[in-house]
Amino acid sequence: ADYPDGPPDFIGKRDDYTPEFDRPIKKTVQKLTRSIPPENKQLLKSLLGFKGFSIRELTPNRTRRATAVNWILHYCVSRGIEI
């Protein structure tokens, strides 16, 4: 498995974006994003009415959290779990 001790914590992590600290988290989020099929990439918008972030609001933590929520929505939709 890729993460024998569990994946890096990209939800509650501190704001340290140095490459040595952030690289494993970035790679994990990239894998999570790639695991969502194209037809489910916009579930935040279609199911929750999320309109996105303005440029001023964009931070790595916010976009990573949005990715996590979108993955959870994808998981539910793909398994017929009511949201």
Side-chain angles (χ1 to χ4, degrees):
D2 288 334
Y3 309 107
D5 299 322
D9 178 9
F10 63 91
I11 300 295
K13 76 169 215 59
R14 62 181 187 227
D15 291 337
D16 180 353
Y17 303 111
T18 58
E20 49 280 348
F21 183 80
D22 197 52
R23 185 173 290 115
I25 295 165
K26 186 176 179 180
K27 295 284 184 192
T28 299
V29 174
Q30 288 171 343
K31 284 183 179 184
L32 191 64
T33 300
R34 288 185 196 115
S35 73
I36 303 170
E39 63 272 14
N40 288 346
K41 295 260 189 213
Q42 299 295 317
L43 292 176
L44 274 173
K45 292 179 181 180
S46 63
L47 294 179
L48 301 182
F50 180 68
K51 296 188 185 335
F53 295 113
S54 72
I55 295 297
R56 288 185 196 157
E57 296 173 317
L58 281 176
T59 65
N61 280 348
R62 283 188 173 186
T63 56
R64 290 168 181 180
R65 289 174 182 147
T67 298
V69 171
N70 200 61
W71 185 89
I72 292 167
L73 292 171
H74 153 66
Y75 180 90
C76 291
V77 166
S78 66
R79 286 160 178 77
I81 298 169
E82 192 173 328
I83 298 170

